[in-house]
Amino acid sequence: MTEKTLIKGGHVVGFDAAMADILLEGAVIKAVEREISADGARVIDASGMIVMPGFVDTHRHLWQTSIRGVAADWSLVEYIRNIRLGYATSYRPEDVYISTYVGALEAIDAGITSLCDYCHIIRSPEHTEAAVLALRDAGMRVRFHQGFYDIPDERPVFTDHDARLEHARAVRTGMFAGTSPSDLISMGVALTEFGLVSIDKTRAEVELARELDLPITMHMGTLSTPDGVSRLRNGGLLGPDMLHVHCNASSDEELRQIADSGGHVSITPETEMQMGMGFPITNRALAAGLRPTFGIDIVSDCSGDMFAQMRLALQTARAIDNERVLKTGKMPVTIDLTVRDAFDFATIDGAAAMGLRDQIGSITPGKRADIVLLTMDGIHHMPPSPDPIATIVLQARPSDVHTVIIDGAERKRDGKLVGAELAPIRRRARASAEHLAAAISDAATRTGGTNTATVYAGAVTQATEAH
Ligand SMILES: [Zn+2]
């Protein structure tokens, strides 16, 4: 018999009554009603808590967890030099495993139940295997977007672009055989950035993805190659299976083209504003008919905190709107963009961007059970804000995440991750950080360079020794 779970007496987001019960049957939400009695069901007491759908992170490079914080003061140019062309060249499969595993656990801990992992650290088939294994071990809903990006390597395993395409095919027919985009762990592809490869190679990547039924994502519209959308459109490649990330330098017309194509956008507010990509496109995306979604992007720079991303994006978008009025010499009388918008971008709109709108993103009977309980016990909820959505968007923190259920399985209970023994994980994460720090330090010595990475290599050693 399918196991039943009853989440009792919480304030369920999206349900009219002040309190409601949720009945789960296995991985599926069976009912949401004012009061449900279910004999034999396991009961989770949610009284005094907010019950919300899990967040959907539509863009993250989980492989960068081992180099947490190194990019704190870096621009995009420094990031590319020091990480994509620096640290990345020393990643071993075990670094990919522990980075991906810890990153996924960190996401679950913070109330993120679904995530698009943009994996462009594939130096060998073993690196791919390590990433996928880590995702399976973590147990979150994730799309593994395999990258084709060619990491500089003295002895490359993949000798050319075709070899990388063939590897993606092997992964699709091997580890991901028989899977579909709606499975708990599914596969997609991450296109190589425009400007690094010819449009013919981009075409080959897109055509392979479509042949293998794999959703597509890619970095889009940064200043070095602002016209990626037009390149795709001119090449007849733009499509509804594409999740375009950033788009800060994409024109309004290009955003409309994405909307017309049925594609989606992912905004990563914190990295975009820090690294010089430009203002997040929230307002322009909405004007173009797109619903924005949010990504954390990298914890090598910012936190894995979706609450923070919602806040940053919402208030920046409001500031941009307000500025338009202020420039006319008047004060804004009303605010258009609401906390509800920001909440939807982080949940149901993210689900739509993953092509899973009918499966996740809201607490609705028939959908998969990806559910988060937030405790209101903290002093920062004293007294609680009357509006649960406002509470989530503007007051709540990852430390409020009390329980996380993914596909019907409890992954966090009573504030603690389930099935993850932290001491050995911490040791492995530190060992990985130390290896990477030493490797980049060696590389800098060899080249006589004293780039920023060298300084950070020292800082990582000090930080790990201190704890
Ligand atoms: Zn990215």
Side-chain angles (χ1 to χ4, degrees):
M1 208 177 81
T2 315
E3 192 192 344
K4 290 181 180 175
T5 305
L6 188 60
I7 304 171
K8 196 123 191 81
H11 196 140
V12 180
V13 170
F15 194 73
D16 288 341
M19 283 182 293
D21 296 346
I22 304 170
L23 180 64
L24 312 182
E25 268 189 20
V28 177
I29 299 169
K30 192 72 184 165
V32 187
E33 288 168 24
R34 177 70 194 84
E35 188 136 20
I36 300 173
S37 55
D39 289 343
R42 190 169 57 98
V43 176
I44 297 174
D45 180 9
S47 52
M49 296 194 213
I50 290 176
V51 184
M52 56 169 273
F55 290 126
V56 180
D57 176 349
T58 53
H59 183 71
R60 176 137 23 154
H61 308 284
L62 286 173
W63 65 267
Q64 292 186 22
T65 310
S66 277
I67 48 171
R68 187 185 297 283
V70 300
D73 292 324
W74 290 348
S75 68
L76 186 60
V77 173
E78 290 170 302
Y79 163 81
I80 289 170
R81 189 179 67 210
N82 295 333
I83 295 183
R84 298 281 301 276
L85 305 175
Y87 284 105
T89 62
S90 298
Y91 264 71
R92 305 161 300 178
E94 64 214 78
D95 300 309
V96 174
Y97 178 88
I98 198 65
S99 283
T100 305
Y101 184 57
V102 172
L105 291 185
E106 177 185 9
I108 295 169
D109 191 54
I112 295 166
T113 53
S114 299
L115 185 147
C116 291
D117 180 24
Y118 197 113
C119 190
H120 54 357
I121 187 63
I122 297 174
R123 302 177 64 208
S124 75
E126 289 73 33
H127 288 70
T128 312
E129 219 168 282
V132 176
L133 188 62
L135 295 174
R136 287 182 179 157
D137 287 349
M140 78 181 308
R141 189 178 303 284
V142 67
R143 181 155 304 148
F144 170 75
H145 282 280
Q146 180 166 335
F148 302 105
Y149 172 66
D150 203 18
I151 298 154
D153 214 317
E154 282 168 16
R155 288 184 298 278
V157 173
F158 301 111
T159 47
D160 59 17
H161 190 250
D162 284 347
R164 288 190 169 273
L165 295 179
E166 279 317 302
H167 176 51
R169 184 187 294 280
V171 172
R172 174 60 169 134
T173 55
M175 278 185 287
F176 286 93
T179 60
S180 83
S182 60
D183 285 337
L184 188 65
I185 302 181
S186 63
M187 184 179 172
V189 304
L191 302 188
T192 310
E193 278 95 345
F194 300 97
L196 294 181
V197 289
S198 66
I199 187 69
D200 287 343
K201 286 186 174 164
T202 301
R203 178 183 301 283
E205 293 178 5
V206 171
E207 286 177 352
L208 180 75
R210 289 181 177 155
E211 181 201 327
L212 300 176
D213 188 25
L214 301 175
I216 298 165
T217 191
M218 65 291 217
H219 292 132
M220 179 60 81
T222 53
L223 210 52
S224 53
T225 45
D227 59 347
V229 176
S230 299
R231 292 186 197 200
L232 286 179
R233 186 165 184 267
N234 295 340
L237 298 172
L238 210 53
D241 51 356
M242 291 181 159
L243 172 57
H244 305 256
V245 181
H246 305 313
C247 302
N248 310 76
S250 302
S251 68
D252 291 345
E253 177 55 28
E254 286 182 310
L255 296 182
R256 276 192 291 277
Q257 288 168 1
I258 295 174
D260 290 346
S261 73
H264 296 270
V265 290
S266 173
I267 295 170
T268 70
E270 203 161 359
T271 55
E272 290 171 11
M273 290 198 283
Q274 171 182 325
M275 293 194 164
M277 289 186 252
F279 281 109
I281 60 162
T282 314
N283 325 56
R284 296 200 297 125
L286 287 165
L290 289 162
R291 296 291 293 176
T293 70
F294 295 140
I296 300 288
D297 207 352
I298 44 173
V299 300
S300 55
D301 167 13
C302 58
S303 75
D305 177 353
M306 188 60 88
F307 299 98
Q309 301 305 323
M310 284 193 296
R311 245 164 252 163
L312 270 172
L314 175 65
Q315 305 298 34
T316 306
R318 285 171 166 176
I320 291 169
D321 278 344
N322 290 339
E323 187 67 10
R324 220 171 285 135
V325 180
L326 291 168
K327 281 202 168 127
T328 67
K330 298 187 180 120
M331 290 284 286
V333 177
T334 57
I335 292 172
D336 289 337
L337 204 60
T338 64
V339 288
R340 176 83 220 193
D341 287 314
F343 178 73
D344 285 349
F345 300 158
T347 53
I348 188 69
D349 295 319
M354 288 184 77
L356 301 176
R357 192 190 170 88
D358 59 346
Q359 309 234 12
I360 56 167
S362 64
I363 298 177
T364 308
K367 285 194 173 185
R368 311 298 289 184
D370 287 4
I371 294 172
V372 169
L373 274 59
L374 300 178
T375 173
M376 294 292 105
D377 286 348
I379 192 139
H380 55 289
H381 295 300
M382 206 180 287
S385 149
D387 173 2
I389 302 271
T391 301
I392 295 166
V393 176
L394 297 180
Q395 310 284 338
R397 308 168 179 175
S399 58
D400 297 334
V401 175
H402 177 278
T403 294
V404 177
I405 297 167
I406 301 176
D407 215 38
E410 257 183 303
R411 297 293 175 190
K412 186 177 184 182
R413 181 190 302 137
D414 200 14
K416 289 196 172 58
L417 289 167
V418 175
E421 210 189 319
L422 293 188
I425 297 169
R426 184 176 288 117
R427 274 196 297 277
R428 289 181 68 180
R430 281 182 182 167
S432 173
E434 284 168 355
H435 158 73
L436 293 165
I440 199 146
S441 176
D442 285 352
T445 309
R446 270 204 316 275
T447 57
T450 50
N451 63 17
T452 331
T454 324
V455 177
Y456 276 91
V460 167
T461 311
Q462 277 178 11
T464 48
E465 278 167 1
H467 293 283

mmCIF file with all atom_site columns, all heavy atoms in Angstrom, residues 362-373:
data_model
loop_
_atom_site.group_PDB
_atom_site.id
_atom_site.type_symbol
_atom_site.label_atom_id
_atom_site.label_alt_id
_atom_site.label_comp_id
_atom_site.label_asym_id
_atom_site.label_entity_id
_atom_site.label_seq_id
_atom_site.pdbx_PDB_ins_code
_atom_site.Cartn_x
_atom_site.Cartn_y
_atom_site.Cartn_z
_atom_site.occupancy
_atom_site.B_iso_or_equiv
_atom_site.pdbx_formal_charge
_atom_site.auth_seq_id
_atom_site.auth_comp_id
_atom_site.auth_asym_id
_atom_site.auth_atom_id
_atom_site.pdbx_PDB_model_num
ATOM 1  N N   . SER A 1 362 ? 3.602  24.431 -6.984  1.00 0.00 ? 362 SER A N   1
ATOM 2  C CA  . SER A 1 362 ? 2.487  24.873 -6.140  1.00 0.00 ? 362 SER A CA  1
ATOM 3  C C   . SER A 1 362 ? 1.959  23.659 -5.386  1.00 0.00 ? 362 SER A C   1
ATOM 4  O O   . SER A 1 362 ? 2.242  22.519 -5.758  1.00 0.00 ? 362 SER A O   1
ATOM 5  C CB  . SER A 1 362 ? 1.372  25.501 -6.980  1.00 0.00 ? 362 SER A CB  1
ATOM 6  O OG  . SER A 1 362 ? 0.801  24.539 -7.849  1.00 0.00 ? 362 SER A OG  1
ATOM 7  N N   . ILE A 1 363 ? 1.217  23.957 -4.304  1.00 0.00 ? 363 ILE A N   1
ATOM 8  C CA  . ILE A 1 363 ? 0.656  22.855 -3.519  1.00 0.00 ? 363 ILE A CA  1
ATOM 9  C C   . ILE A 1 363 ? -0.748 22.580 -4.048  1.00 0.00 ? 363 ILE A C   1
ATOM 10 O O   . ILE A 1 363 ? -1.726 23.210 -3.649  1.00 0.00 ? 363 ILE A O   1
ATOM 11 C CB  . ILE A 1 363 ? 0.675  23.206 -2.014  1.00 0.00 ? 363 ILE A CB  1
ATOM 12 C CG1 . ILE A 1 363 ? 2.132  23.412 -1.581  1.00 0.00 ? 363 ILE A CG1 1
ATOM 13 C CG2 . ILE A 1 363 ? 0.004  22.104 -1.197  1.00 0.00 ? 363 ILE A CG2 1
ATOM 14 C CD1 . ILE A 1 363 ? 2.309  23.836 -0.141  1.00 0.00 ? 363 ILE A CD1 1
ATOM 15 N N   . THR A 1 364 ? -0.805 21.699 -5.009  1.00 0.00 ? 364 THR A N   1
ATOM 16 C CA  . THR A 1 364 ? -2.034 21.432 -5.758  1.00 0.00 ? 364 THR A CA  1
ATOM 17 C C   . THR A 1 364 ? -2.236 19.923 -5.865  1.00 0.00 ? 364 THR A C   1
ATOM 18 O O   . THR A 1 364 ? -1.293 19.215 -6.223  1.00 0.00 ? 364 THR A O   1
ATOM 19 C CB  . THR A 1 364 ? -1.905 22.020 -7.193  1.00 0.00 ? 364 THR A CB  1
ATOM 20 O OG1 . THR A 1 364 ? -1.519 23.385 -7.100  1.00 0.00 ? 364 THR A OG1 1
ATOM 21 C CG2 . THR A 1 364 ? -3.206 21.903 -7.961  1.00 0.00 ? 364 THR A CG2 1
ATOM 22 N N   . PRO A 1 365 ? -3.440 19.441 -5.560  1.00 0.00 ? 365 PRO A N   1
ATOM 23 C CA  . PRO A 1 365 ? -3.677 18.001 -5.706  1.00 0.00 ? 365 PRO A CA  1
ATOM 24 C C   . PRO A 1 365 ? -3.311 17.505 -7.106  1.00 0.00 ? 365 PRO A C   1
ATOM 25 O O   . PRO A 1 365 ? -3.617 18.165 -8.105  1.00 0.00 ? 365 PRO A O   1
ATOM 26 C CB  . PRO A 1 365 ? -5.186 17.864 -5.445  1.00 0.00 ? 365 PRO A CB  1
ATOM 27 C CG  . PRO A 1 365 ? -5.496 19.007 -4.542  1.00 0.00 ? 365 PRO A CG  1
ATOM 28 C CD  . PRO A 1 365 ? -4.612 20.136 -4.999  1.00 0.00 ? 365 PRO A CD  1
ATOM 29 N N   . GLY A 1 366 ? -2.646 16.372 -7.143  1.00 0.00 ? 366 GLY A N   1
ATOM 30 C CA  . GLY A 1 366 ? -2.210 15.795 -8.414  1.00 0.00 ? 366 GLY A CA  1
ATOM 31 C C   . GLY A 1 366 ? -0.759 16.090 -8.718  1.00 0.00 ? 366 GLY A C   1
ATOM 32 O O   . GLY A 1 366 ? -0.128 15.394 -9.511  1.00 0.00 ? 366 GLY A O   1
ATOM 33 N N   . LYS A 1 367 ? -0.200 17.169 -8.096  1.00 0.00 ? 367 LYS A N   1
ATOM 34 C CA  . LYS A 1 367 ? 1.215  17.490 -8.337  1.00 0.00 ? 367 LYS A CA  1
ATOM 35 C C   . LYS A 1 367 ? 2.121  16.650 -7.443  1.00 0.00 ? 367 LYS A C   1
ATOM 36 O O   . LYS A 1 367 ? 1.679  16.058 -6.456  1.00 0.00 ? 367 LYS A O   1
ATOM 37 C CB  . LYS A 1 367 ? 1.476  18.982 -8.074  1.00 0.00 ? 367 LYS A CB  1
ATOM 38 C CG  . LYS A 1 367 ? 0.954  19.892 -9.184  1.00 0.00 ? 367 LYS A CG  1
ATOM 39 C CD  . LYS A 1 367 ? 1.537  21.298 -9.053  1.00 0.00 ? 367 LYS A CD  1
ATOM 40 C CE  . LYS A 1 367 ? 1.156  22.154 -10.262 1.00 0.00 ? 367 LYS A CE  1
ATOM 41 N NZ  . LYS A 1 367 ? 1.801  23.474 -10.220 1.00 0.00 ? 367 LYS A NZ  1
ATOM 42 N N   . ARG A 1 368 ? 3.394  16.618 -7.788  1.00 0.00 ? 368 ARG A N   1
ATOM 43 C CA  . ARG A 1 368 ? 4.383  15.937 -6.957  1.00 0.00 ? 368 ARG A CA  1
ATOM 44 C C   . ARG A 1 368 ? 4.544  16.697 -5.645  1.00 0.00 ? 368 ARG A C   1
ATOM 45 O O   . ARG A 1 368 ? 4.436  17.932 -5.597  1.00 0.00 ? 368 ARG A O   1
ATOM 46 C CB  . ARG A 1 368 ? 5.754  15.864 -7.655  1.00 0.00 ? 368 ARG A CB  1
ATOM 47 C CG  . ARG A 1 368 ? 5.721  15.373 -9.078  1.00 0.00 ? 368 ARG A CG  1
ATOM 48 C CD  . ARG A 1 368 ? 5.196  13.977 -9.234  1.00 0.00 ? 368 ARG A CD  1
ATOM 49 N NE  . ARG A 1 368 ? 6.093  12.938 -8.752  1.00 0.00 ? 368 ARG A NE  1
ATOM 50 C CZ  . ARG A 1 368 ? 5.829  11.626 -8.887  1.00 0.00 ? 368 ARG A CZ  1
ATOM 51 N NH1 . ARG A 1 368 ? 4.701  11.222 -9.454  1.00 0.00 ? 368 ARG A NH1 1
ATOM 52 N NH2 . ARG A 1 368 ? 6.692  10.730 -8.425  1.00 0.00 ? 368 ARG A NH2 1
ATOM 53 N N   . ALA A 1 369 ? 4.853  15.940 -4.586  1.00 0.00 ? 369 ALA A N   1
ATOM 54 C CA  . ALA A 1 369 ? 4.956  16.544 -3.254  1.00 0.00 ? 369 ALA A CA  1
ATOM 55 C C   . ALA A 1 369 ? 6.352  17.106 -3.019  1.00 0.00 ? 369 ALA A C   1
ATOM 56 O O   . ALA A 1 369 ? 7.235  16.431 -2.503  1.00 0.00 ? 369 ALA A O   1
ATOM 57 C CB  . ALA A 1 369 ? 4.606  15.507 -2.198  1.00 0.00 ? 369 ALA A CB  1
ATOM 58 N N   . ASP A 1 370 ? 6.573  18.350 -3.455  1.00 0.00 ? 370 ASP A N   1
ATOM 59 C CA  . ASP A 1 370 ? 7.801  19.106 -3.162  1.00 0.00 ? 370 ASP A CA  1
ATOM 60 C C   . ASP A 1 370 ? 7.374  20.247 -2.244  1.00 0.00 ? 370 ASP A C   1
ATOM 61 O O   . ASP A 1 370 ? 6.885  21.290 -2.702  1.00 0.00 ? 370 ASP A O   1
ATOM 62 C CB  . ASP A 1 370 ? 8.419  19.672 -4.448  1.00 0.00 ? 370 ASP A CB  1
ATOM 63 C CG  . ASP A 1 370 ? 9.077  18.600 -5.314  1.00 0.00 ? 370 ASP A CG  1
ATOM 64 O OD1 . ASP A 1 370 ? 9.001  17.410 -4.968  1.00 0.00 ? 370 ASP A OD1 1
ATOM 65 O OD2 . ASP A 1 370 ? 9.667  18.963 -6.349  1.00 0.00 ? 370 ASP A OD2 1
ATOM 66 N N   . ILE A 1 371 ? 7.536  20.046 -0.948  1.00 0.00 ? 371 ILE A N   1
ATOM 67 C CA  . ILE A 1 371 ? 6.901  20.930 0.032   1.00 0.00 ? 371 ILE A CA  1
ATOM 68 C C   . ILE A 1 371 ? 7.897  21.346 1.104   1.00 0.00 ? 371 ILE A C   1
ATOM 69 O O   . ILE A 1 371 ? 8.725  20.552 1.553   1.00 0.00 ? 371 ILE A O   1
ATOM 70 C CB  . ILE A 1 371 ? 5.695  20.190 0.675   1.00 0.00 ? 371 ILE A CB  1
ATOM 71 C CG1 . ILE A 1 371 ? 4.622  19.947 -0.403  1.00 0.00 ? 371 ILE A CG1 1
ATOM 72 C CG2 . ILE A 1 371 ? 5.121  20.978 1.843   1.00 0.00 ? 371 ILE A CG2 1
ATOM 73 C CD1 . ILE A 1 371 ? 3.476  19.074 0.052   1.00 0.00 ? 371 ILE A CD1 1
ATOM 74 N N   . VAL A 1 372 ? 7.796  22.615 1.512   1.00 0.00 ? 372 VAL A N   1
ATOM 75 C CA  . VAL A 1 372 ? 8.695  23.163 2.533   1.00 0.00 ? 372 VAL A CA  1
ATOM 76 C C   . VAL A 1 372 ? 7.868  23.735 3.682   1.00 0.00 ? 372 VAL A C   1
ATOM 77 O O   . VAL A 1 372 ? 6.874  24.431 3.456   1.00 0.00 ? 372 VAL A O   1
ATOM 78 C CB  . VAL A 1 372 ? 9.591  24.265 1.912   1.00 0.00 ? 372 VAL A CB  1
ATOM 79 C CG1 . VAL A 1 372 ? 10.342 25.040 2.993   1.00 0.00 ? 372 VAL A CG1 1
ATOM 80 C CG2 . VAL A 1 372 ? 10.569 23.661 0.910   1.00 0.00 ? 372 VAL A CG2 1
ATOM 81 N N   . LEU A 1 373 ? 8.270  23.421 4.904   1.00 0.00 ? 373 LEU A N   1
ATOM 82 C CA  . LEU A 1 373 ? 7.628  23.993 6.094   1.00 0.00 ? 373 LEU A CA  1
ATOM 83 C C   . LEU A 1 373 ? 8.582  25.011 6.711   1.00 0.00 ? 373 LEU A C   1
ATOM 84 O O   . LEU A 1 373 ? 9.761  24.696 6.948   1.00 0.00 ? 373 LEU A O   1
ATOM 85 C CB  . LEU A 1 373 ? 7.337  22.894 7.135   1.00 0.00 ? 373 LEU A CB  1
ATOM 86 C CG  . LEU A 1 373 ? 6.024  22.110 7.001   1.00 0.00 ? 373 LEU A CG  1
ATOM 87 C CD1 . LEU A 1 373 ? 5.916  21.410 5.668   1.00 0.00 ? 373 LEU A CD1 1
ATOM 88 C CD2 . LEU A 1 373 ? 5.915  21.092 8.138   1.00 0.00 ? 373 LEU A CD2 1
#
